[in-house]
């Protein structure tokens, strides 16, 4: 109690000396800020002085019967200065007259003196002190709210609207920015700002989201009072009263005009001022997914100017650029009200996306474009028979309610039809020559007809904002395969694909089949993150009858999922995989990737990995998987790289990034390496393929490990074996590496440097070594098509290596685009999921 009231400022007025001293003794024990007056006149002057100096008293305690000015009159004057001043009156007379006057003055407490019970007296003051402190707290909160409101009003673009969307409040900052007055906005809908070109489906999605009591985040184009266009990123959320009844909506708005202008520059072709290839890749992916979700028709036309190289040679590049601009403008004028998107995708080539049109409509558009370009009469002596520039067009119109192919294959089919149009005489249009385009697709999983790993990697490279990636692993699928065979595995995978397809119903969510035991779900709308997390937790990972696979009338298998989840744009595939592997190791059904784990969480995960690793090592469950390395000259398999895998008690296969640290920490890395190398040599002994084996500096630095490798080479030989030495900053003794390589070379082994360019590259020392191959680090290869700086670095590395007469290998090649790029840059060999995922020796026919 004492601590509660010690900061209360108190004015005590009493004319009787003895009584004043007695009462003061009690007060001073509890209050440390007390000002004493001997009569009402002095008391009022002290109060007035304190008020004027902004050092007001919190409580006034006063006697009533005093000379000059009594307590009643003094309190009356005080109340004229501050109406809500807390006052306690002391009186030796408990009369109705005094009580009535005290009540009229709204005195807070009336106490009869002398004060017999000090506790009751102080308790009364404590109650009043609490009132003072509460008022002060409310006053401070009101002040802070007022300041916050002022800051928001002056700096934040915000509107408040009622349930019908009519604006009831708007911030001064937003009014200043848009140029409207308050009277022009209040009572209007947000269409007063909105630019008419906003897509109807965007506005529909906005209202559907907020009517479902969820927040909507999205981009809109608006207009200021001056009709100047601007872009906003809006976060619109429901507003509730104290009873949690929805009363309207708040919109926090961010001006993103400059960002959108920069974006427009990055997605606009400078010559023609239409969209460029970068935006085509993004739009093809987005629009085709939307058509699949809506089960509508989707058409793609690829337009190419005929004999354009000859035109450039004949009339010059300036005339060529002029012709491209003229044709682009003509196409744009014709398509203005017909289709969504027009793109220049390279040189003299254009692409057109057409949404939900009949075959006849698409044909009419294409044939009209052929006629209109020729009607421009751009003279070309070596062109079509007419003597003018012409175009050829290849097209496809797929019915997404019947066929499911990937967006990459949509392009390939249209491009193939363009080639046929060119070969059949040019100035023509070829359309859907295949009765069933599904037969020629290459980017769908065969058994599930879902987009495959290559499609996922491509879609991830096109992300423009944070996404959610969920990896789903069918548990114990390897054990099922060993016992029941691949047919059962294939049927379980198909059953799981159908199960997942039934619950994924949003255009911003895409399901992929990565292999026979793993699916991926990519969610690109933040508004759907929570929904799909709930689906994962309470539907996908919850046991149901759908998880049972019937072997016969009496027996069935239960197949369940483990899941790893990550969020973001960069590295979310690898992060989701880390989470999934941790889930498998720890036997949990779900782990969300968290880069900021607590120390306790990290330690528990480490111990789980160590326990799983030691059991696998002791049980001989460190096994080699193999991945082909392709020769770019003829696309044949040059050799296979042996990659370590750990098999858990449940038959799950775990990648090395989850247990290599455990092997080093447990001081069993050499035993792990020996187990792995012996099993690789067992495969090598069959002499069916050349094999590459990984070695770390720790292996080479160990005399016993060097002796073991020499012993294995004495037994099995080294012809056809490549040792890949991991380049890292751990390498301290290059002379030791050089001597070790000489020993390997004496057995006709080849030498490769792994992870070259990964951040630590001692070029001078490496070039002195007698090596045959350099494998470019996968993290560089993955970014080569999206980061010019990385591309320049790879070009420099390749020049360096080629001058040293060393062959190069590009790893992590998972898409056709990456494949084309590394071939263009001149690598000698390629490795990655595009040509084969890591698998057992049996699956690659090596045993």
């Amino acid at each position: 109690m004492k601590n509660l009231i010690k900061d209360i400022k108190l004015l005590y007025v009493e004319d009787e000396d003895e009584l004043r001293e007695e009462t003061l003794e009690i007060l001073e024990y509890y209050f440390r800020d007390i000002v004493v007056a001997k009569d009402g006149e002095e008391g009022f002057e002290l109060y007035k002085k304190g008020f004027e100096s902004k050092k007001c008293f919190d409580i006034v305690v006063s006697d009533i019967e005093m000379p000059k000015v009594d307590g009643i009159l003094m309190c009356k004057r005080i109340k004229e200065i501050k109406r809500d001043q807390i006052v306690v009156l002391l009186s030796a007379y408990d009369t109705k007259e005094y009580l009535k006057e005290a009540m009229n003055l709204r005195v807070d407490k009336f106490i009869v003196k002398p004060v017999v019970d000090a506790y009751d007296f102080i308790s009364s003051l404590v109650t009043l002190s609490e009132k003072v402190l509460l008022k002060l707290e409310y006053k401070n909160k009101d002040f802070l709210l007022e300041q916050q409101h002022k800051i928001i009003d002056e700096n934040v673009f915000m509107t408040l609207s009622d349930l019908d969307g009519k604006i009831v409040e708007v911030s001064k900052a937003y009014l200043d920015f848009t140029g409207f007055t308050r009277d022009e906005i209040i009572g209007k809908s947000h269409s007063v700002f909105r630019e008419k070109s906003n897509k109807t489906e965007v506005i529909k999605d906005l209202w559907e989201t907020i009517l479902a009591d969820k927040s909507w985040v999205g981009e809109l184009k608006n207009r200021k009072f001056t009709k100047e266009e601007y872009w906003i990123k809006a976060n619109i959320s429901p507003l509730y009263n104290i009873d949690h009844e929805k009363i309207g909506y708040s919109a926090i708005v961010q001006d993103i005009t400059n960002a959108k202008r920069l974006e427009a520059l990055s997605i606009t072709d400078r010559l023609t001022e239409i969209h460029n290839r970068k935006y085509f890749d993004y739009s093809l992916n987005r629009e085709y997914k939307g058509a699949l979700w809506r089960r509508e028709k989707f058409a793609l036309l690829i337009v190419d100017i005929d004999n354009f190289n000859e035109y450039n040679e004949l009339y010059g590049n300036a005339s060529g650029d002029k012709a491209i601009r003229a044709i682009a403008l003509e196409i744009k004028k014709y398509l203005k009200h017909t289709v969504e998107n027009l793109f220049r995708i390279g040189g003299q080539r254009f692409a057109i996306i057409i949404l939900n049109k009949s075959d006849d409509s698409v044909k009419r558009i294409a044939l009209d474009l052929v006629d209109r370009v020729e009607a421009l009469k751009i003279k070309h002596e070596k062109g079509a028979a007419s003597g003018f520039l012409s175009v050829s067009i290849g097209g496809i119109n797929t019915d997404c309610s019947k066929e499911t192919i990937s967006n990459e294959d949509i392009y390939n089919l249209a491009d193939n039809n363009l080639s046929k149009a060119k070969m059949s005489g040019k100035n023509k249009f070829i359309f859907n020559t295949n009765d069933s385009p599904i037969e020629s697709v290459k980017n769908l999983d065969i058994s599930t007809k879902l987009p495959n790993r290559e499609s996922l990697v491509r879609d991830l490279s096109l992300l423009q904002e944070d996404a959610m990636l969920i990896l789903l692993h069918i548990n114990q699928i390897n054990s099922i395969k060993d016992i029941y065979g691949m047919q059962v595995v294939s049927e379980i995978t198909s059953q799981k694909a159908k199960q997942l397809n039934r619950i994924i119903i949003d255009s911003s969510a895409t399901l992929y089949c990565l292999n026979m035991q793993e699916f991926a779900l990519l969610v690109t709308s933040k508004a759907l993150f929570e929904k799909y997390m709930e689906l994962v937790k309470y539907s996908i990972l919850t046991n149901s009858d759908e998880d049972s696979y019937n072997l016969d009338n009496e027996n069935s298998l239960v197949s369940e999922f483990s899941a790893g989840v990550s969020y973001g744009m960069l590295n979310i595939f690898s992060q989701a995989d880390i989470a999934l592997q941790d889930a498998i190791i720890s036997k949990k059904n779900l782990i969300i990737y968290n880069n900021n784990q607590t120390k306790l969480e990290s330690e528990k995960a480490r111990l789980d990995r160590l326990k799983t690793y030691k059991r696998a090592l002791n049980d001989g469950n460190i096994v080699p998987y193999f991945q082909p390395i392709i020769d770019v000259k003829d696309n044949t398999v040059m050799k296979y790289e042996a990659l370590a895998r750990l098999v858990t008690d449940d038959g799950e296969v775990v990648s090395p990034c989850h247990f290599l640290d455990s092997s080093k920490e447990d001081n069993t890395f050499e035993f792990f390496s020996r187990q792995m190398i012996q099993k690789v040599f067992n495969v090598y002994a069959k002499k069916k393929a050349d094999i590459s084996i990984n070695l770390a500096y720790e292996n080479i630095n160990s005399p016993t490990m060097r002796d073991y490798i020499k012993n294995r080479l004495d037994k099995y030989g080294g012809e056809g074996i490549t040792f890949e030495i991991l380049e890292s900053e751990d390498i301290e003794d290059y002379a030791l590496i050089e001597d070790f390589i000489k020993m390997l070379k004496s057995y006709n082994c080849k030498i490769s440097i792994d992870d070259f360019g990964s951040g630590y590259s001692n070029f001078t020392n490496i070039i002195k070594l007698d090596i045959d191959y350099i494998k470019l680090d996968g993290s560089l290869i993955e970014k080569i098509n999206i980061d010019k700086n990385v591309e320049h670095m790879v070009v420099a590395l390749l020049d360096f290596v080629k001058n040293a007469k060393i062959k190069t290998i590009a790893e992590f090649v998972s898409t056709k685009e990456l494949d084309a790029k590394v071939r263009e840059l001149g690598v000698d060999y390629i490795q990655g999921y595009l040509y084969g995922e890591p698998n057992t020796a049996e699956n690659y026919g090596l045993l």
Side-chain angles (χ1 to χ4, degrees):
M1 183 167 67
K2 185 177 179 181
N3 290 333
L4 175 68
I5 62 176
K6 63 182 181 180
D7 294 329
I8 297 295
K9 188 175 178 64
L10 189 144
L11 174 62
Y12 175 45
V13 186
E14 174 61 65
D15 64 321
E16 293 183 27
D17 294 340
E18 185 178 348
L19 185 58
R20 184 173 62 247
E21 292 303 319
E22 290 176 1
T23 307
L24 191 59
E25 186 178 349
I26 298 171
L27 292 173
E28 285 179 337
Y29 181 77
Y30 294 97
F31 296 89
R32 64 183 178 188
D33 194 354
I34 305 174
V35 176
V36 180
K38 296 179 180 179
D39 57 50
E41 185 176 58
E42 183 185 7
F44 177 71
E45 290 302 321
L46 287 171
Y47 183 89
K48 184 179 178 183
K49 184 178 179 182
F51 183 83
E52 289 173 348
S53 62
K54 299 190 182 299
K55 295 180 180 178
C56 297
F57 293 97
D58 297 306
I59 300 175
V60 176
V61 179
S62 177
D63 184 24
I64 293 179
E65 293 287 336
M66 292 183 295
K68 296 183 181 179
V69 176
D70 64 30
I72 295 293
L73 181 57
M74 182 192 74
C75 288
K76 195 173 186 178
R77 292 177 179 176
I78 286 173
K79 290 281 189 175
E80 288 173 355
I81 295 175
K82 187 181 179 186
R83 293 182 61 187
D84 61 348
Q85 176 63 55
I86 293 178
V87 176
V88 176
L89 287 181
L90 304 174
S91 176
Y93 306 99
D94 185 6
T95 66
K96 290 182 180 180
E97 186 176 336
Y98 280 139
L99 279 172
K100 185 177 180 182
E101 289 192 68
M103 289 173 64
N104 289 335
L105 287 172
R106 298 185 181 277
V107 169
D108 297 270
K109 194 73 178 176
F110 189 89
I111 298 174
V112 177
K113 66 177 186 178
V115 177
V116 178
D117 190 338
Y119 182 81
D120 286 346
F121 176 52
I122 293 301
S123 294
S124 299
L125 294 181
V126 166
T127 302
L128 294 172
S129 297
E130 290 174 345
K131 183 178 178 182
V132 170
L133 294 172
L134 193 59
K135 285 174 65 176
L136 183 62
E137 184 181 348
Y138 283 138
K139 186 176 180 180
N140 286 335
K141 284 183 177 178
D142 287 343
F143 178 75
L144 287 173
L145 285 172
E146 187 178 328
Q147 290 297 103
Q148 288 174 0
H149 183 269
K150 184 178 179 182
I151 291 169
I152 291 171
D153 191 49
E154 293 179 353
N155 297 280
V156 177
F157 297 170
M158 184 185 74
T159 65
L160 302 179
S161 58
D162 61 21
L163 292 171
D164 296 322
K166 296 291 189 292
I167 299 171
V168 296
E169 188 58 72
V170 58
S171 67
K172 180 178 180 297
Y174 199 31
L175 289 174
D176 292 343
F177 175 74
T178 59
F180 287 97
T181 65
R182 184 179 177 80
D183 291 340
E184 290 168 330
I185 297 300
I186 299 299
K188 304 287 198 317
S189 71
H190 284 81
S191 60
V192 69
F193 298 116
R194 200 148 297 142
E195 212 277 331
K196 293 180 180 179
S197 64
N198 285 293
K199 293 182 180 179
T200 305
E201 54 264 34
V202 173
I203 306 302
K204 181 183 177 185
D205 177 61
L206 186 162
W207 274 105
E208 286 178 350
T209 303
I210 61 176
L211 286 174
D213 296 342
K214 296 178 181 178
S215 294
W216 182 86
V217 179
E219 296 177 357
L220 296 166
K221 185 192 282 190
N222 284 353
R223 285 187 181 273
K224 297 182 180 181
F225 178 77
T226 59
K227 304 304 180 186
E228 176 189 352
E229 291 181 355
Y230 66 97
W231 278 90
I232 60 167
K233 184 173 184 178
N235 188 325
I236 303 173
S237 302
L239 278 176
Y240 300 93
N241 63 16
I242 195 169
D243 297 320
H244 204 67
E245 297 170 336
K246 190 164 70 171
I247 57 173
Y249 306 97
S250 68
I252 305 296
V253 173
Q254 178 187 354
D255 176 27
I256 58 169
T257 307
N258 288 336
K260 293 298 285 187
R261 286 172 179 166
L262 288 172
E263 178 186 302
L265 288 174
S266 73
I267 64 174
T268 301
D269 176 63
R270 292 185 181 181
L271 178 63
T272 60
E273 296 184 352
I274 61 176
H275 291 140
N276 60 15
R277 177 62 189 246
K278 175 185 175 182
Y279 195 62
F280 168 71
D281 291 337
Y282 170 74
S283 297
L284 179 62
N285 180 55
R286 180 194 62 195
E287 300 293 356
Y288 183 55
K289 281 183 180 177
L292 283 171
W293 178 67
R294 294 187 298 270
R295 300 177 66 80
E296 295 176 348
K297 285 210 162 193
F298 180 91
L300 176 66
L301 301 180
I302 300 179
V303 183
D304 191 86
I305 304 175
D306 297 325
N307 304 308
F308 189 73
N309 291 332
E310 291 86 345
Y311 184 88
N312 261 344
E313 291 173 5
L314 190 60
Y315 299 100
N317 289 333
S319 294
D321 288 349
K322 186 177 178 181
I324 288 173
R325 279 197 300 269
I327 291 172
L329 180 61
E330 185 63 24
I331 297 174
K332 188 177 179 180
K333 280 166 56 180
Y334 174 76
L335 298 175
K336 186 175 181 182
H337 302 295
T338 310
V339 295
E340 279 295 322
N341 292 307
L342 168 65
F343 312 85
R344 183 185 178 205
I345 57 175
Q348 70 275 16
R349 184 167 289 197
F350 305 91
I352 301 164
I353 292 174
I354 305 173
L355 300 176
N356 205 26
K357 298 286 184 182
S358 67
D359 287 357
D360 289 340
S361 296
V362 175
K363 289 177 184 176
R364 186 177 65 253
I365 290 169
L367 293 172
D368 283 350
L369 288 175
V370 170
D371 292 340
R372 290 177 75 102
V373 169
E374 193 168 23
L376 290 173
K377 295 188 175 181
I378 301 172
K379 187 178 179 182
H380 186 7
E381 293 177 1
K382 296 182 179 180
S386 63
F388 302 113
L389 272 180
S390 61
V391 294
S392 295
I393 301 177
I396 179 172
N397 192 22
T398 182
D399 188 343
C400 296
S401 67
K402 298 177 181 177
E403 298 166 337
T404 305
I405 59 178
S406 74
N407 50 312
E408 292 93 343
D409 294 311
I410 288 282
Y411 182 87
N412 291 338
L413 290 167
D415 188 49
N416 185 52
N417 285 338
L418 173 64
S419 298
K420 291 176 180 177
K422 291 279 190 183
M423 288 187 291
S424 63
K426 303 179 182 177
N427 197 24
K428 292 183 180 296
F429 168 55
I430 301 293
F431 178 68
N432 276 21
T433 56
N434 293 319
D435 292 333
S436 182
I438 196 75
E439 294 174 2
S440 54
V441 300
K442 298 178 181 178
N443 290 301
L444 290 177
D445 177 74
I446 296 172
S447 62
T448 62
K449 299 297 186 292
L450 291 173
N452 61 12
R453 185 187 187 93
E454 182 181 347
S455 295
L456 173 61
V457 172
R458 179 181 173 83
D459 290 350
L460 290 175
S461 72
L462 296 173
L463 288 178
Q464 296 189 342
E465 58 183 27
D466 286 351
M468 173 188 192
L469 181 63
I470 304 164
L471 295 184
L472 297 164
H473 173 91
I474 306 175
N475 296 329
Q476 299 181 328
I477 203 74
N478 288 305
S479 299
I480 294 171
K481 180 185 71 174
D482 292 340
I483 298 170
Y484 299 104
M486 278 302 299
Q487 180 62 32
V488 171
V489 169
S490 179
E491 290 173 5
I492 289 175
T493 304
S494 296
Q495 176 180 299
K496 288 293 186 183
K498 293 175 183 176
Q499 175 188 343
L500 293 170
N501 256 326
R502 281 197 293 272
I503 61 175
I504 298 171
I505 58 173
D506 298 285
S507 62
S508 297
T510 306
L511 181 65
Y512 307 81
C513 184
L514 306 186
N515 51 51
M516 295 299 282
Q517 61 184 10
E518 285 185 356
F519 295 90
L521 175 58
L522 180 63
V523 183
T524 55
S525 169
K526 289 182 180 179
L528 296 175
F529 287 0
E530 182 180 351
K531 171 184 175 179
Y532 278 92
M533 179 53 72
E534 296 294 302
L535 281 173
V536 168
K537 288 180 179 178
Y538 303 116
S539 179
I540 295 173
L541 299 180
T542 302
N543 292 339
S544 68
D545 292 339
E546 289 185 326
D547 294 318
S548 296
Y549 171 79
N550 293 322
L551 291 167
D552 50 45
N553 292 332
E554 296 181 359
N555 300 305
S556 64
L557 292 172
V558 176
S559 55
E560 300 171 344
F561 280 120
S562 293
V565 181
S566 65
Y567 299 87
M569 278 180 61
L570 301 175
N571 303 319
I572 61 170
F573 199 172
S574 59
Q575 290 168 357
D577 187 56
I578 289 170
L580 177 62
Q581 300 294 331
D582 281 346
I584 293 170
I585 289 172
S586 60
K587 297 185 178 179
K588 295 180 179 178
N589 63 359
L590 171 65
I591 287 184
I592 300 170
Y593 179 82
N594 179 9
N595 202 28
N596 299 309
Q597 281 186 318
T598 65
K599 188 175 181 180
L600 183 63
E601 290 171 334
S602 297
E603 184 64 14
K604 186 178 184 308
R606 184 189 69 80
L607 290 173
D608 283 340
R609 288 193 292 270
L610 182 60
K611 181 180 177 182
T612 302
Y613 161 73
K614 291 185 73 171
R615 187 182 296 117
L617 184 67
N618 292 333
D619 294 344
N621 283 332
I622 304 298
V623 300
Y625 268 43
F626 297 87
Q627 188 173 35
I629 299 174
I630 305 299
D631 190 328
V632 298
K633 294 195 296 291
D634 54 14
N635 287 336
T636 58
V637 176
M638 184 261 289
K639 60 181 174 180
Y640 291 86
E641 181 182 3
L643 301 163
R645 294 293 186 266
L646 180 153
V647 181
T648 70
D649 292 344
D650 298 327
E652 304 295 353
V653 179
V654 180
S655 59
C657 62
H658 294 274
F659 59 82
L660 280 183
D661 287 343
S662 297
S663 68
K664 294 176 183 179
E665 173 190 342
D666 193 47
N667 295 320
T668 57
F669 184 58
E670 183 164 328
F671 298 107
F672 156 78
S673 300
R674 288 188 181 208
Q675 188 173 136
M676 175 68 181
I677 288 174
Q678 180 57 59
K679 291 181 179 180
V680 173
F681 271 110
N682 290 342
V683 175
Y684 169 71
K686 303 296 182 180
K687 299 296 182 184
K688 292 189 176 182
D690 293 350
I691 294 176
S692 184
I693 302 173
N694 289 290
L695 291 177
Y697 179 66
E698 291 96 324
N699 297 135
I700 301 169
N701 197 37
S702 166
T704 56
M705 190 65 191
R706 293 198 300 272
D707 289 343
Y708 176 78
I709 292 172
K710 188 175 186 303
N711 177 274
R712 296 299 86 187
L713 291 172
D714 285 335
K715 180 175 181 178
Y716 295 99
E719 188 78 40
I721 289 284
T722 298
F723 283 95
E724 289 192 19
I725 300 172
L726 178 65
E727 185 205 8
S728 76
E729 57 189 358
D730 295 333
I731 298 177
E732 298 173 352
D733 189 349
Y734 274 89
L736 174 65
I737 300 287
E738 191 172 358
D739 289 341
F740 180 67
I741 289 175
K742 285 179 181 177
M743 184 273 289
L744 297 178
K745 289 281 186 174
S746 69
Y747 289 91
N748 294 321
C749 297
K750 300 287 187 183
I751 306 299
S752 177
I753 298 296
D754 196 10
D755 286 354
F756 188 71
S758 61
Y760 179 84
S761 296
N762 195 324
F763 299 131
T764 304
N765 285 322
I766 285 174
I767 210 69
K768 292 178 182 176
L769 302 174
D770 184 11
I771 58 179
D772 303 282
Y773 312 102
I774 276 181
K775 182 178 285 187
L776 297 171
D777 183 57
S779 64
L780 297 177
I781 300 301
E782 285 184 313
K783 298 175 183 174
I784 200 169
N785 271 335
I786 58 176
D787 190 329
K788 277 292 180 185
N789 291 327
V790 170
E791 182 182 346
H792 295 326
M793 182 189 298
V794 171
V795 168
L797 291 174
L798 287 171
D799 287 343
F800 171 79
V801 172
K802 284 178 181 177
N803 288 334
K805 303 292 190 293
I806 299 172
K807 298 290 186 180
T808 54
I809 303 170
E811 62 178 348
F812 287 24
V813 176
S814 54
T815 68
K816 289 192 286 292
E817 288 79 11
L818 282 176
D819 182 58
K821 189 66 175 182
V822 296
R823 287 173 185 266
E824 175 191 325
L825 295 179
V827 300
D828 300 293
Y829 305 100
I830 296 173
Q831 178 181 357
Y833 274 81
L834 183 65
Y835 291 101
E837 62 182 81
N839 219 318
T840 61
E842 291 87 350
N843 279 339
Y844 279 118
L846 302 181
L847 291 178

